[in-house]
Structure formats: structure tokens, C-alpha cells
Amino acid sequence: MKLKNQVKAAFRSLSKNKMRTFLTMLGIIIGVASVIAMLAIGQGSKESIQAQISSLGTNLLTIFPSASMTGGVRMEAGSSVKMNLDDYKAIATRCPAVMYSTPTVRTSGQLIAAGQNWRTSVWGVYPDYFEIRNLAIQTGAVFTAAEDRAAAKICVVGQTVSKNLFGEGTDPVGKLIRINKIPFSICGLLTAKGQNAFGQDQDDIVIAPFTTVQERMMTITYINSIMVSATSESMIPEATDEITQVLKERHHLGPSEDPDFTIRSQADISSAATATSGILTILLASIASISLLVGGIGIMNIMLVSVTERTREIGIRMGVGARGRDVLLQFLIEALMISLIGGILGVGFGILTSQIIASIMKWPVTITLQSILLSFLFSTAIGIFFGWYPARKAASLNPIDALRYE
Amino acid sequence: MEQEEEGNMTDAIISTQHLVKTYKMGDMEVHALRGIDIDIRKSDFVAIMGKSGSGKSTFMNIIGCLDVPTRGEYLLDGLDVGKMNRDELAHLRNRKIGFVFQSFNLLSRTSALENVELPLMYNNKISSHDMREKAMNALESVGLSGRSHHLPNQLSGGEQQRVAIARALVNDPVVILADEPTGNLDTRTSVEVMDIFQKLNKKGITVVIVTHEPDIAAYTNRNVSFRDGRILKDLQVEHPRIAGEELLLIPAISEEDTI
Ligand SMILES: Nc1ncnc2c1ncn2[C@@H]1O[C@H](COP(=O)(O)OP(=O)(O)OP(=O)(O)O)[C@@H](O)[C@H]1O
Ligand SMILES: [Mg+2]
């Protein structure tokens, strides 16, 4: 039988039982639509995470003390080895691939101003920090290196802090606040950055001179981490090598010994976050594919019923000369048509659902051609896979048995 | 006499030798055919008769290539059917044989025309255009060209059987096999059907029918009687009745209908 006629015949027999065909198709429609929607949500969040991470500055390297091995026992991070300002100075002076650099100390601070309270983290850094992190100042100015050396009690605040202490729209520059009871004068307001990829509010921050925070607020001699930016993105490996060498030397570690610090690049963080959202996408998509699978089982079920119901028809067709493979193809095409048409409708429905989710939930969604092709191929494969057994069953019938079937 | 038989062998359309069919039902065996030797020549019009259970349908199914014998040989148009696989048998059913069933066996919810087209669908040599034309011609030759778009459930039993006959002859078979084609029909419709068979037979198509009614067998020119899976009698009919002439005498509405 010619393929054209096969398709026509399949179409006719499916349209004889419209309701049943539609319900069978519905399984595939819902399956494909949910796969498309889930992939769109996954892809959308992945892209927005990537965009945010790269906005942090791709040249950024963070160096912090790592868990050290003492007698084969892994210690808690930062527990034994600490870095100090001399480590920072060595990096700043001896690493040509490093452009900007700053030591950092971090503490939490209780802020009081004009009778308002706010708790946030306080960073102590050099002015280079603003270059490294791409932080822009909306009003006022960044503190200077001289002010840092003088341990001046001034600070830059984020928008969230300003809003909570002084209310919306008030310029905090020049105002006085107390941080852990120490009076500070606000010298600058950061431009709003919003949430980062991990949902943290990047505007909920106070940035003060390093020396002020380390000596006046925390009274410690070590530092929490060192942040540097490489001269360019391609110089990151070079910078990493230089820093490793300098720090190992300072910490009296041989070249083959494990370092007692960790250097993390923005690319590491970005790939970790991308991997996480990738896993999320796979998870969502596999849950959705289960419904597609259930849809496939629905096809198989209906096709099996249909083969039994139409045994006499099969007998008649074989009686007038249909070969086993003609009958096989007929049922396979019917199964395939259900899954293909279901697939097409499912793609449309999936795109629609994604748009609705995007506009109602305000989630970023991205529909990719791959996701459409993937779910479409998947549904076709399901049609063939689940149509095969019933079709095989029909094709192997004996003509006389099929004709005699009551 | 023997030589004449030999000579006829050459133009035998159907030739069986010791055809045996045994059905196994658990550990019981049913001997449906116990050795059938028959030659049916081109242009024969044969009626197979016999009591219920004598093996007539079994025989028809085997010579129609719908079923295979347990033992014995069967030549159809010179081809050794016993050596064929499923696909080759399907090809024979498509090109050489037209089968008409007692219960019509039309595809439901499928128009008369499309039912007649069905065998052509499985014949790749025929284009869609020729398909339509051949099917229309076949319908016309059974007098149903005006009913081509009717569905089986919109047709009378006689009309359905005529659609089935049109389907059987659409692929120009060498033989038309009909198992009790008039079994479900009234007298007048039966004669109409026999008229169609007689006309086809005149054109040179071999026709074999199964019937319980001697009246129907009288329209054929050879009557073969089966008993217990064997041929009991094989007689030529000297003066077959002519259905076409009789139809003119039977009123269109028979007595049975007016009661
Ligand atoms: N599929 C089958 N399985 C088992 N036995 C069968 C089968 N088909 C037919 N028979 C047996 O074979 C014998 C011949 O059956 P067949 O149908 O050929 O008779 P028939 O001459 O056509 O009878 P009728 O005039 O009632 O149609 C019967 O005894 C029947 O019970
Ligand atoms: Mg019978």
C-alpha cells in the first residue's frame, strides 16, 4: 500500500473515533507541553543567573584560606591557617597579572540612625574593591586610600540600608550613623544592583575602609580574604599561578605541596551556578517526561483495544491482499499520527503555557528550538515505541482467524 | 476419458491433490477435509454443496489462500501455493482471488466505493486515478453506481453483497470464491446475485460458490457434493437455469414482502 493511502486510511480511522483519539492525544499534548514549559523555565533561569554572574565582573579572583590537612584530618575552613595583610601586600606588589587588589574583612553590624535600626554586613576594604566589583556610586564619593590609612570613620552604604534607615528618596550622604556603637559618617551611596543570582540583596551592605573595620571594629590581625582582578579575563590563569607561587612561598610550602588557600574565579562560581540550574532543568524536564511517558502508555492501551476491536477489519484487509507489513504500518502510522499531532498541539500549548507563566509569575522563560525539537522527537519516538507492540500483534494475525473473530 | 481429464489439467485454475485439513482442539482432532482431489477449469461455475460440517468452508478458505492445508497439494493458476510464505499468499489473494463472504464483511463507516477500492489499495501498480475508475466500473457492473457514496449500514443486504462482489472482481481475479453468498438474502435478491455471477462467468471468470440450496446450485454448471471431508458426487449440470431471464418474471416486490 502506498504511503499516501496509508496516511489517508490512518487519518480516516482516527477520525471515526474522534473523542477517543482526542483523549489519547491529550496525554501526549499535556506531556509535550509540560516538557516545553519546564525546559523554558529552566533555560530562562539559567540565562538570568549567567547574566547576573557575569555582571559581577568576570576578572574577579577571590583568595581565602582553605581547610588544611593536619595529620590527615581535614580541619574546618579557615580554622587553622589565616591570611594576614602581608599576604595581601605580597600579592599586590609581586603579581604583575593582578590589576586591582584589596584585603577584605567582614563583620555584621548593628546600624542605628535617626532612631532606626538595621542589621547588615559590614565590609572593610581598600578603594580598589569598587573597581574589582564594578560598584558604582550614585551620590557622594568613595573613601580614599589616605582615609583608609587614617582609619577614618566613614562608609559607603547600599540602597537598602539607606532606605531602611532614612526612608525612601532621602540622600544619606553626610549623615551620621552608629555601627556597633561607633559613629560613622556616610560618604557615598551605591547605585542599586538588585538581587544576585543566589537571591541575595546586593544593596544591603555597608562598605568601610579596611583599616577602620579591622582595627577599630573587629580588632583582629588577620584578614578574611583577598580580592583581586586580573589585568584581563585571559590573564586569569596567569594571575592564579602568580598568586599561588607568592602565597606558597610565604607560607613555606613546597611547589608540590597542597596550598593552604583557595583561589576561586568568577568563572568557577558561574559554572557551579550554571550546573545547579542545569540539574534543576533536567529534574523539571524528567518529571515532565514522565507525563509524556504516561501519554505513550495511553497510546499503547488504545492501540491494543483498537487491534482487538478491529480484528475483523484486519481480517478483511488481509483477505483482499494486505500483507503483514501493510497492517503493521497502518497501526504504526495511526499511533504515530496521534503522537505527532499531539506533539504539534503540545508544542503550541507549551509555548502558550510558558508565556502565561512568564507574565503571571514574572519568571524568566526562554523557549529554545532545541527544546521544541527534543520534545517533538521524544513524542514521535514514544508513538513508534508504544505503537509497535499493538501493530506487531495486528500484523501477525492469520487472515482466517481474524475473519472468524467475533 | 482419462486422456480428456489430463488434457483439461493444463487449463485448470484450481487443482488440488489429496487436500487434508485437520483441526486440533486440545487432544481431539477434527478432520475437516480428508483428502480432496479436484480440478476446476477456467470458466467453470461450480457449486459446492453438502451437509453442515462437511468441510465446504474449510475447502473454500484453503483455495482462497486464507488458510493453509495440513497436507496435500494445491495449484492455483499453475502456482504451487503450498510453497508460499505469508506475503506471497497475500499477493495471490490480492491479484488472483476475489472472495465473497456470507456475512458480506464490508468495512463499516466506509463508503461502498472505498470498500471496492480496498483491494486496489494493496496493489501498487495502480494509480489513484485508475483506482477510482476501476472501482466505479466494478460498482457499475453490479448495478450499484448510484450507491457509491452510501455507507454499508445505508444499504440493503442484497446491495451490500453486490458491493462485496464488486470488491471481489475489481482486481480482475482469475477466480471468484463465494461462501454462501445468498445465505442471508431473500429469493429475488439471491437470483440477482446469481445473475451477476453468471454474467461474470460468461466473461471468462471462474466462479466457485458454496450453497445449501439446490435451487441456487441449479444456476451453476457443475455441482460438487461434500460429505465428511470428502467429495461424494461431482456432476455437470446439463441445462443451468438462466437468472437473467427469470428475473424478468419475478416481480420486483415479492410475495414475502407484502405479507
Ligand atoms: N477453526 C476451527 N477449529 C476447529 N474446528 C473447526 C474449525 N473450523 C471448522 N471446524 C470443523 O471442521 C468441520 C468442517 O467445518 P466447515 O466450516 O468447513 O463446514 P461447512 O461445510 O462449511 O459447514 P456449514 O455448511 O455449516 O457452513 C466442522 O466439523 C467444524 O466443526
Ligand atoms: Mg460453511
Side-chain angles (χ1 to χ4, degrees):
Chain A
M1 194 158 172
K2 285 175 192 152
L3 200 65
K4 192 184 86 187
N5 293 333
Q6 288 275 24
V7 172
K8 248 198 260 171
F11 190 76
R12 188 174 310 137
S13 90
L14 289 180
S15 55
K16 272 185 203 170
N17 238 321
K18 289 196 184 68
M19 192 60 183
R20 177 201 280 188
T21 304
F22 173 71
L23 289 176
T24 314
M25 230 175 242
L26 201 58
I28 295 293
I29 294 175
I30 292 172
V32 169
S34 47
V35 168
I36 296 238
M38 291 302 133
L39 285 176
I41 292 170
Q43 183 67 23
S45 65
K46 190 157 129 188
E47 279 174 12
S48 76
I49 286 172
Q50 274 169 341
Q52 290 186 34
I53 286 173
S54 61
S55 80
L56 293 177
T58 45
N59 302 353
L60 175 69
L61 288 175
T62 310
I63 305 113
F64 50 89
S66 61
S68 67
M69 299 289 283
T70 318
V73 180
R74 186 173 286 275
M75 311 293 278
E76 195 189 324
S79 57
S80 59
V81 185
K82 296 204 161 77
M83 294 193 300
N84 56 38
L85 202 55
D86 291 333
D87 287 324
Y88 158 75
K89 282 177 183 155
I91 290 171
T93 52
R94 290 170 54 197
C95 297
V98 167
M99 182 139 78
Y100 299 106
S101 59
T102 176
T104 76
V105 282
R106 196 170 53 233
T107 185
S108 85
Q110 187 68 37
L111 279 52
I112 303 170
Q116 297 295 320
N117 257 283
W118 189 246
R119 192 166 191 86
T120 187
S121 58
V122 179
W123 286 65
V125 296
Y126 283 173
D128 269 11
Y129 181 78
F130 295 89
E131 303 292 339
I132 296 170
R133 295 292 309 274
N134 285 332
L135 295 178
I137 296 293
Q138 187 171 307
T139 54
V142 172
F143 47 83
T144 64
E147 282 165 330
D148 178 86
R149 278 192 296 277
K153 288 183 274 184
I154 55 176
C155 66
V156 172
V157 297
Q159 298 268 354
T160 305
V161 173
S162 166
K163 204 188 303 171
N164 282 286
L165 291 177
F166 307 108
E168 194 127 15
T170 313
D171 184 0
V173 173
K175 291 202 155 65
L176 277 176
I177 56 170
R178 287 175 166 273
I179 304 176
N180 295 351
K181 300 200 180 106
I182 303 167
F184 276 74
S185 150
I186 295 174
C187 65
L189 173 68
L190 291 171
T191 305
K193 273 202 123 175
Q195 287 191 350
N196 73 3
F198 309 100
Q200 289 167 327
D201 181 3
Q202 299 177 91
D203 302 321
D204 189 9
I205 192 171
V206 171
I207 303 170
F210 169 77
T211 315
T212 316
V213 177
Q214 194 200 29
E215 291 177 0
R216 290 188 187 242
M217 286 183 70
M218 298 172 75
T219 56
I220 52 172
T221 53
Y222 62 86
I223 60 177
N224 291 129
S225 72
I226 300 165
M227 281 184 168
V228 307
S229 70
T231 46
S232 74
E233 202 177 336
S234 61
M235 288 302 277
I236 287 175
E238 185 82 31
T240 309
D241 287 348
E242 289 171 4
I243 294 166
T244 308
Q245 208 186 336
V246 166
L247 283 187
K248 273 190 170 178
E249 204 182 295
R250 277 191 47 76
H251 295 185
H252 311 293
L253 294 166
S256 57
E257 278 179 275
D258 281 343
D260 55 2
F261 52 88
T262 303
I263 304 173
R264 179 160 296 164
S265 72
Q266 202 59 27
D268 293 339
I269 298 170
S270 153
S271 67
T274 309
T276 312
S277 66
I279 290 169
L280 186 79
T281 307
I282 291 170
L283 195 74
L284 289 175
S286 17
I287 292 169
S289 354
I290 290 172
S291 66
L292 194 52
L293 206 69
V294 173
I297 295 170
I299 291 190
M300 176 137 124
N301 182 27
I302 288 302
M303 293 312 288
L304 279 174
V305 170
S306 167
V307 166
T308 313
E309 227 179 47
R310 288 156 64 192
T311 303
R312 227 181 149 81
E313 176 196 327
I314 296 166
I316 293 170
R317 287 180 181 275
M318 286 181 155
V320 301
R323 293 162 305 177
R325 81 180 82 130
D326 293 318
V327 175
L328 180 91
L329 210 61
Q330 182 190 343
F331 280 87
L332 214 50
I333 286 176
E334 282 183 25
L336 208 59
M337 270 174 90
I338 292 179
S339 64
L340 264 168
I341 297 174
I344 293 171
L345 293 177
V347 166
F349 196 56
I351 292 173
L352 197 74
T353 313
S354 311
Q355 305 297 356
I356 291 172
I357 289 173
S359 67
I360 291 180
M361 314 280 280
K362 303 264 183 290
W363 286 354
V365 303
T366 311
I367 296 159
T368 60
L369 188 65
Q370 285 106 301
S371 76
I372 290 176
L373 289 179
L374 181 81
S375 46
F376 203 65
L377 278 180
F378 194 27
S379 68
T380 309
I382 274 183
I384 296 177
F385 184 78
F386 288 105
W388 182 263
Y389 174 70
R392 188 69 249 162
K393 200 175 152 193
S396 60
L397 285 171
N398 266 329
I400 191 64
D401 295 335
L403 276 167
R404 279 217 199 96
Y405 186 84
E406 294 296 328
Chain B
M1 186 65 186
E2 277 221 13
Q3 264 174 348
E4 210 182 297
E5 288 273 341
E6 287 289 334
N8 289 334
M9 281 279 289
T10 51
D11 59 311
I13 290 288
I14 286 166
S15 169
T16 70
Q17 261 163 35
H18 208 73
L19 213 57
V20 171
K21 181 74 183 180
T22 310
Y23 293 108
K24 287 211 170 56
M25 310 267 293
D27 39 281
M28 212 183 68
E29 288 193 339
V30 181
H31 299 279
L33 297 179
R34 295 167 187 267
I36 302 287
D37 298 82
I38 193 170
D39 281 337
I40 295 172
R41 289 168 294 268
K42 194 165 163 42
S43 310
D44 259 356
F45 189 179
V46 182
I48 294 176
M49 313 204 31
K51 281 207 295 265
S52 187
S54 57
K56 306 179 296 291
S57 293
T58 305
F59 175 71
M60 289 294 267
N61 292 337
I62 290 173
I63 62 173
C65 298
L66 292 169
D67 205 354
V68 288
T70 311
R71 257 178 291 131
E73 268 184 39
Y74 169 32
L75 299 181
L76 172 66
D77 205 14
L79 302 165
D80 190 349
V81 176
K83 294 202 171 69
M84 294 188 171
N85 63 27
R86 279 170 62 97
D87 282 0
E88 288 166 327
L89 289 176
H91 189 261
L92 274 192
R93 290 196 295 273
N94 188 243
R95 303 298 163 81
K96 303 249 180 220
I97 299 163
F99 213 105
V100 178
F101 304 88
Q102 178 177 358
S103 51
F104 321 136
N105 272 339
L106 298 177
L107 291 185
S108 60
R109 300 206 231 170
T110 305
S111 74
L113 184 65
E114 283 165 342
N115 261 293
V116 176
E117 279 178 346
L118 197 63
L120 302 174
M121 291 272 198
Y122 297 103
N123 184 344
N124 283 337
K125 290 211 178 76
I126 292 175
S127 72
S128 314
H129 178 259
D130 289 352
M131 208 181 271
R132 222 6 63 113
E133 197 178 301
K134 270 174 136 337
M136 278 311 290
N137 287 344
L139 270 180
E140 194 171 337
S141 70
V142 296
L144 276 184
S145 41
R147 298 276 197 281
S148 61
H149 292 291
H150 286 227
L151 301 178
N153 60 3
Q154 298 167 334
L155 294 169
S156 73
E159 286 167 335
Q160 288 186 55
Q161 193 59 301
R162 282 191 278 165
V163 173
I165 295 170
R167 181 179 66 189
L169 59 88
V170 73
N171 239 340
D172 302 318
V174 293
V175 56
I176 286 183
L177 305 173
D179 193 350
E180 301 193 42
T182 60
N184 286 349
L185 305 178
D186 67 26
T187 318
R188 185 189 158 85
T189 334
S190 299
V191 179
E192 282 171 1
V193 166
M194 291 314 288
D195 179 42
I196 294 169
F197 282 135
Q198 280 189 330
K199 282 177 178 152
L200 290 173
N201 183 238
K202 278 247 165 58
K203 287 191 205 155
I205 299 175
T206 311
V207 181
V208 182
I209 67 165
V210 169
T211 181
H212 280 283
E213 299 160 69
D215 281 354
I216 293 294
Y219 292 101
T220 68
N221 48 34
R222 183 177 170 189
N223 289 0
V224 178
S225 297
F226 274 44
R227 193 159 87 188
D228 292 337
R230 290 198 178 86
I231 292 177
L232 182 68
K233 278 185 286 185
D234 185 349
L235 300 171
Q236 291 291 321
V237 180
E238 294 302 328
H239 301 290
R241 292 166 67 172
I242 313 290
E245 290 174 3
E246 290 177 19
L247 274 179
L248 300 174
L249 304 175
I250 311 175
I253 297 166
S254 66
E255 288 90 331
E256 293 149 71
D257 291 327
T258 52
I259 289 168

PDB file of all heavy atoms in Angstrom, chain B residues 84-102:
ATOM      1  N   MET B  84       4.380 -21.324  -0.612  1.00  0.00           N
ATOM      2  CA  MET B  84       4.429 -19.863  -0.479  1.00  0.00           C
ATOM      3  C   MET B  84       4.432 -19.386   0.969  1.00  0.00           C
ATOM      4  O   MET B  84       3.872 -20.019   1.846  1.00  0.00           O
ATOM      5  CB  MET B  84       3.241 -19.251  -1.203  1.00  0.00           C
ATOM      6  CG  MET B  84       3.353 -19.480  -2.696  1.00  0.00           C
ATOM      7  SD  MET B  84       2.092 -18.582  -3.554  1.00  0.00           S
ATOM      8  CE  MET B  84       2.639 -18.824  -5.234  1.00  0.00           C
ATOM      9  N   ASN B  85       5.065 -18.220   1.178  1.00  0.00           N
ATOM     10  CA  ASN B  85       5.043 -17.619   2.522  1.00  0.00           C
ATOM     11  C   ASN B  85       3.851 -16.663   2.652  1.00  0.00           C
ATOM     12  O   ASN B  85       3.084 -16.466   1.708  1.00  0.00           O
ATOM     13  CB  ASN B  85       6.370 -16.908   2.811  1.00  0.00           C
ATOM     14  CG  ASN B  85       6.631 -15.752   1.860  1.00  0.00           C
ATOM     15  OD1 ASN B  85       5.696 -15.152   1.321  1.00  0.00           O
ATOM     16  ND2 ASN B  85       7.891 -15.445   1.645  1.00  0.00           N
ATOM     17  N   ARG B  86       3.742 -16.057   3.808  1.00  0.00           N
ATOM     18  CA  ARG B  86       2.573 -15.207   4.099  1.00  0.00           C
ATOM     19  C   ARG B  86       2.408 -14.074   3.095  1.00  0.00           C
ATOM     20  O   ARG B  86       1.296 -13.779   2.651  1.00  0.00           O
ATOM     21  CB  ARG B  86       2.712 -14.604   5.503  1.00  0.00           C
ATOM     22  CG  ARG B  86       2.307 -15.538   6.631  1.00  0.00           C
ATOM     23  CD  ARG B  86       2.704 -14.946   7.985  1.00  0.00           C
ATOM     24  NE  ARG B  86       2.042 -13.670   8.256  1.00  0.00           N
ATOM     25  CZ  ARG B  86       0.947 -13.553   8.985  1.00  0.00           C
ATOM     26  NH1 ARG B  86       0.388 -14.630   9.502  1.00  0.00           N
ATOM     27  NH2 ARG B  86       0.408 -12.381   9.193  1.00  0.00           N
ATOM     28  N   ASP B  87       3.519 -13.434   2.755  1.00  0.00           N
ATOM     29  CA  ASP B  87       3.447 -12.293   1.841  1.00  0.00           C
ATOM     30  C   ASP B  87       3.030 -12.719   0.439  1.00  0.00           C
ATOM     31  O   ASP B  87       2.251 -12.040  -0.226  1.00  0.00           O
ATOM     32  CB  ASP B  87       4.800 -11.569   1.777  1.00  0.00           C
ATOM     33  CG  ASP B  87       5.016 -10.678   2.985  1.00  0.00           C
ATOM     34  OD1 ASP B  87       4.111 -10.641   3.851  1.00  0.00           O
ATOM     35  OD2 ASP B  87       6.081 -10.037   3.067  1.00  0.00           O
ATOM     36  N   GLU B  88       3.554 -13.888   0.012  1.00  0.00           N
ATOM     37  CA  GLU B  88       3.197 -14.371  -1.325  1.00  0.00           C
ATOM     38  C   GLU B  88       1.722 -14.773  -1.372  1.00  0.00           C
ATOM     39  O   GLU B  88       1.041 -14.542  -2.373  1.00  0.00           O
ATOM     40  CB  GLU B  88       4.096 -15.549  -1.710  1.00  0.00           C
ATOM     41  CG  GLU B  88       5.527 -15.104  -2.008  1.00  0.00           C
ATOM     42  CD  GLU B  88       6.511 -16.256  -2.065  1.00  0.00           C
ATOM     43  OE1 GLU B  88       6.326 -17.251  -1.319  1.00  0.00           O
ATOM     44  OE2 GLU B  88       7.471 -16.158  -2.843  1.00  0.00           O
ATOM     45  N   LEU B  89       1.239 -15.323  -0.270  1.00  0.00           N
ATOM     46  CA  LEU B  89      -0.181 -15.674  -0.216  1.00  0.00           C
ATOM     47  C   LEU B  89      -1.040 -14.412  -0.278  1.00  0.00           C
ATOM     48  O   LEU B  89      -2.065 -14.377  -0.957  1.00  0.00           O
ATOM     49  CB  LEU B  89      -0.490 -16.460   1.067  1.00  0.00           C
ATOM     50  CG  LEU B  89       0.061 -17.889   1.119  1.00  0.00           C
ATOM     51  CD1 LEU B  89      -0.235 -18.531   2.475  1.00  0.00           C
ATOM     52  CD2 LEU B  89      -0.533 -18.740   0.008  1.00  0.00           C
ATOM     53  N   ALA B  90      -0.584 -13.372   0.417  1.00  0.00           N
ATOM     54  CA  ALA B  90      -1.314 -12.105   0.390  1.00  0.00           C
ATOM     55  C   ALA B  90      -1.369 -11.571  -1.038  1.00  0.00           C
ATOM     56  O   ALA B  90      -2.394 -11.064  -1.497  1.00  0.00           O
ATOM     57  CB  ALA B  90      -0.639 -11.086   1.310  1.00  0.00           C
ATOM     58  N   HIS B  91      -0.251 -11.714  -1.741  1.00  0.00           N
ATOM     59  CA  HIS B  91      -0.192 -11.248  -3.124  1.00  0.00           C
ATOM     60  C   HIS B  91      -1.177 -12.018  -3.996  1.00  0.00           C
ATOM     61  O   HIS B  91      -1.899 -11.440  -4.808  1.00  0.00           O
ATOM     62  CB  HIS B  91       1.239 -11.412  -3.648  1.00  0.00           C
ATOM     63  CG  HIS B  91       1.451 -10.778  -4.985  1.00  0.00           C
ATOM     64  ND1 HIS B  91       1.438 -11.499  -6.143  1.00  0.00           N
ATOM     65  CD2 HIS B  91       1.653  -9.481  -5.329  1.00  0.00           C
ATOM     66  CE1 HIS B  91       1.631 -10.675  -7.165  1.00  0.00           C
ATOM     67  NE2 HIS B  91       1.772  -9.449  -6.696  1.00  0.00           N
ATOM     68  N   LEU B  92      -1.253 -13.347  -3.786  1.00  0.00           N
ATOM     69  CA  LEU B  92      -2.216 -14.162  -4.538  1.00  0.00           C
ATOM     70  C   LEU B  92      -3.645 -13.720  -4.252  1.00  0.00           C
ATOM     71  O   LEU B  92      -4.457 -13.582  -5.165  1.00  0.00           O
ATOM     72  CB  LEU B  92      -2.085 -15.635  -4.141  1.00  0.00           C
ATOM     73  CG  LEU B  92      -1.048 -16.502  -4.841  1.00  0.00           C
ATOM     74  CD1 LEU B  92      -1.315 -17.967  -4.500  1.00  0.00           C
ATOM     75  CD2 LEU B  92      -1.126 -16.313  -6.350  1.00  0.00           C
ATOM     76  N   ARG B  93      -3.956 -13.517  -2.968  1.00  0.00           N
ATOM     77  CA  ARG B  93      -5.308 -13.098  -2.602  1.00  0.00           C
ATOM     78  C   ARG B  93      -5.664 -11.784  -3.279  1.00  0.00           C
ATOM     79  O   ARG B  93      -6.791 -11.532  -3.656  1.00  0.00           O
ATOM     80  CB  ARG B  93      -5.426 -12.921  -1.072  1.00  0.00           C
ATOM     81  CG  ARG B  93      -5.385 -14.190  -0.275  1.00  0.00           C
ATOM     82  CD  ARG B  93      -5.897 -13.958   1.143  1.00  0.00           C
ATOM     83  NE  ARG B  93      -5.061 -13.070   1.927  1.00  0.00           N
ATOM     84  CZ  ARG B  93      -4.006 -13.455   2.637  1.00  0.00           C
ATOM     85  NH1 ARG B  93      -3.668 -14.729   2.666  1.00  0.00           N
ATOM     86  NH2 ARG B  93      -3.311 -12.585   3.322  1.00  0.00           N
ATOM     87  N   ASN B  94      -4.648 -10.946  -3.413  1.00  0.00           N
ATOM     88  CA  ASN B  94      -4.883  -9.633  -3.999  1.00  0.00           C
ATOM     89  C   ASN B  94      -5.108  -9.709  -5.515  1.00  0.00           C
ATOM     90  O   ASN B  94      -5.996  -9.061  -6.051  1.00  0.00           O
ATOM     91  CB  ASN B  94      -3.692  -8.729  -3.676  1.00  0.00           C
ATOM     92  CG  ASN B  94      -3.949  -7.290  -4.072  1.00  0.00           C
ATOM     93  OD1 ASN B  94      -3.255  -6.749  -4.918  1.00  0.00           O
ATOM     94  ND2 ASN B  94      -4.955  -6.689  -3.473  1.00  0.00           N
ATOM     95  N   ARG B  95      -4.306 -10.495  -6.211  1.00  0.00           N
ATOM     96  CA  ARG B  95      -4.312 -10.450  -7.672  1.00  0.00           C
ATOM     97  C   ARG B  95      -5.145 -11.538  -8.333  1.00  0.00           C
ATOM     98  O   ARG B  95      -5.640 -11.361  -9.434  1.00  0.00           O
ATOM     99  CB  ARG B  95      -2.879 -10.560  -8.213  1.00  0.00           C
ATOM    100  CG  ARG B  95      -1.927  -9.519  -7.703  1.00  0.00           C
ATOM    101  CD  ARG B  95      -2.378  -8.126  -8.102  1.00  0.00           C
ATOM    102  NE  ARG B  95      -1.699  -7.137  -7.281  1.00  0.00           N
ATOM    103  CZ  ARG B  95      -0.460  -6.705  -7.510  1.00  0.00           C
ATOM    104  NH1 ARG B  95       0.205  -7.162  -8.538  1.00  0.00           N
ATOM    105  NH2 ARG B  95       0.082  -5.823  -6.709  1.00  0.00           N
ATOM    106  N   LYS B  96      -5.240 -12.715  -7.700  1.00  0.00           N
ATOM    107  CA  LYS B  96      -5.834 -13.857  -8.396  1.00  0.00           C
ATOM    108  C   LYS B  96      -7.219 -14.227  -7.873  1.00  0.00           C
ATOM    109  O   LYS B  96      -7.959 -14.907  -8.556  1.00  0.00           O
ATOM    110  CB  LYS B  96      -4.917 -15.089  -8.251  1.00  0.00           C
ATOM    111  CG  LYS B  96      -3.502 -14.867  -8.760  1.00  0.00           C
ATOM    112  CD  LYS B  96      -3.238 -15.665  -9.989  1.00  0.00           C
ATOM    113  CE  LYS B  96      -1.826 -15.438 -10.496  1.00  0.00           C
ATOM    114  NZ  LYS B  96      -1.820 -15.345 -11.962  1.00  0.00           N
ATOM    115  N   ILE B  97      -7.506 -13.800  -6.643  1.00  0.00           N
ATOM    116  CA  ILE B  97      -8.711 -14.309  -5.997  1.00  0.00           C
ATOM    117  C   ILE B  97      -9.620 -13.173  -5.571  1.00  0.00           C
ATOM    118  O   ILE B  97      -9.167 -12.143  -5.072  1.00  0.00           O
ATOM    119  CB  ILE B  97      -8.327 -15.140  -4.746  1.00  0.00           C
ATOM    120  CG1 ILE B  97      -7.462 -16.340  -5.147  1.00  0.00           C
ATOM    121  CG2 ILE B  97      -9.576 -15.609  -4.005  1.00  0.00           C
ATOM    122  CD1 ILE B  97      -6.715 -16.950  -3.989  1.00  0.00           C
ATOM    123  N   GLY B  98     -10.916 -13.376  -5.793  1.00  0.00           N
ATOM    124  CA  GLY B  98     -11.895 -12.465  -5.207  1.00  0.00           C
ATOM    125  C   GLY B  98     -12.773 -13.283  -4.287  1.00  0.00           C
ATOM    126  O   GLY B  98     -13.362 -14.279  -4.708  1.00  0.00           O
ATOM    127  N   PHE B  99     -12.823 -12.897  -3.004  1.00  0.00           N
ATOM    128  CA  PHE B  99     -13.571 -13.705  -2.045  1.00  0.00           C
ATOM    129  C   PHE B  99     -14.839 -12.974  -1.622  1.00  0.00           C
ATOM    130  O   PHE B  99     -14.802 -11.796  -1.300  1.00  0.00           O
ATOM    131  CB  PHE B  99     -12.689 -13.982  -0.818  1.00  0.00           C
ATOM    132  CG  PHE B  99     -12.950 -15.317  -0.171  1.00  0.00           C
ATOM    133  CD1 PHE B  99     -12.069 -16.379  -0.323  1.00  0.00           C
ATOM    134  CD2 PHE B  99     -14.103 -15.517   0.588  1.00  0.00           C
ATOM    135  CE1 PHE B  99     -12.321 -17.609   0.268  1.00  0.00           C
ATOM    136  CE2 PHE B  99     -14.361 -16.747   1.174  1.00  0.00           C
ATOM    137  CZ  PHE B  99     -13.463 -17.802   1.013  1.00  0.00           C
ATOM    138  N   VAL B 100     -15.968 -13.708  -1.645  1.00  0.00           N
ATOM    139  CA  VAL B 100     -17.236 -13.117  -1.201  1.00  0.00           C
ATOM    140  C   VAL B 100     -17.727 -13.926  -0.007  1.00  0.00           C
ATOM    141  O   VAL B 100     -17.771 -15.151  -0.058  1.00  0.00           O
ATOM    142  CB  VAL B 100     -18.289 -13.142  -2.334  1.00  0.00           C
ATOM    143  CG1 VAL B 100     -19.611 -12.567  -1.843  1.00  0.00           C
ATOM    144  CG2 VAL B 100     -17.787 -12.384  -3.553  1.00  0.00           C
ATOM    145  N   PHE B 101     -18.048 -13.223   1.074  1.00  0.00           N
ATOM    146  CA  PHE B 101     -18.416 -13.914   2.305  1.00  0.00           C
ATOM    147  C   PHE B 101     -19.931 -13.895   2.503  1.00  0.00           C
ATOM    148  O   PHE B 101     -20.629 -13.011   2.011  1.00  0.00           O
ATOM    149  CB  PHE B 101     -17.768 -13.231   3.513  1.00  0.00           C
ATOM    150  CG  PHE B 101     -16.273 -13.115   3.413  1.00  0.00           C
ATOM    151  CD1 PHE B 101     -15.686 -12.023   2.803  1.00  0.00           C
ATOM    152  CD2 PHE B 101     -15.455 -14.100   3.941  1.00  0.00           C
ATOM    153  CE1 PHE B 101     -14.318 -11.903   2.712  1.00  0.00           C
ATOM    154  CE2 PHE B 101     -14.077 -13.991   3.854  1.00  0.00           C
ATOM    155  CZ  PHE B 101     -13.500 -12.892   3.238  1.00  0.00           C
ATOM    156  N   GLN B 102     -20.406 -14.874   3.276  1.00  0.00           N
ATOM    157  CA  GLN B 102     -21.829 -14.917   3.577  1.00  0.00           C
ATOM    158  C   GLN B 102     -22.265 -13.646   4.304  1.00  0.00           C
ATOM    159  O   GLN B 102     -23.321 -13.088   4.047  1.00  0.00           O
ATOM    160  CB  GLN B 102     -22.128 -16.150   4.448  1.00  0.00           C
ATOM    161  CG  GLN B 102     -23.590 -16.251   4.864  1.00  0.00           C
ATOM    162  CD  GLN B 102     -23.866 -17.523   5.651  1.00  0.00           C
ATOM    163  OE1 GLN B 102     -22.984 -18.339   5.850  1.00  0.00           O
ATOM    164  NE2 GLN B 102     -25.108 -17.683   6.075  1.00  0.00           N
TER     165      GLN B 102
END
